[in-house]
Amino acid sequence: FGSSWHPSLSISPRFAKPETAFSAMVIKTELCHFTEYRIYPGRGQRFIAKDGKVSFFITSKVDSLFHQRIKAVKLRWTQAWRRMNKK
């Protein structure tokens, strides 16, 4: 009897937790270093600088703008611009 233990046998159906119909699946997302948009798995491009700082970009356009040293605050479509201009 000692080796045939099973979790479903120890809990009475009255006390068992009901299964939720709307259990949300959690997807790990990263934030774009430049635009602050969410990046879902399989998207984006990771850049590691010589000093070891890791930047994660959503598109090659954003990667290019970052390397041209263009400030995100000056681009109307970034979250930084929206924050600065209270939109």
Side-chain angles (χ1 to χ4, degrees):
F1 285 107
S3 64
S4 65
W5 182 84
H6 191 267
S8 64
L9 298 175
S10 65
I11 299 174
S12 168
R14 274 189 337 182
F15 301 112
K17 225 181 207 183
E19 292 294 322
T20 56
F22 300 105
S23 61
M25 188 173 91
V26 178
I27 299 174
K28 181 154 172 38
T29 59
E30 305 260 353
L31 278 182
C32 177
H33 180 78
F34 193 79
T35 62
E36 299 171 34
Y37 289 162
R38 270 187 277 157
I39 304 173
Y40 288 90
R43 305 276 178 205
Q45 194 172 46
R46 194 177 309 268
F47 171 72
I48 303 171
K50 287 181 183 177
D51 64 354
K53 187 176 179 191
V54 178
S55 300
F56 205 49
F57 303 115
I58 195 163
T59 59
S60 58
K61 171 185 173 179
V62 171
D63 184 34
S64 175
L65 290 168
F66 175 80
H67 286 97
Q68 292 175 50
R69 299 177 188 260
I70 293 174
K71 295 179 181 175
V73 177
K74 294 188 175 190
L75 300 171
R76 290 192 69 183
W77 53 272
T78 62
Q79 292 298 316
W81 184 90
R82 293 184 63 81
R83 194 179 316 106
M84 286 290 289
N85 291 282
K86 297 182 167 76
K87 299 288 176 188

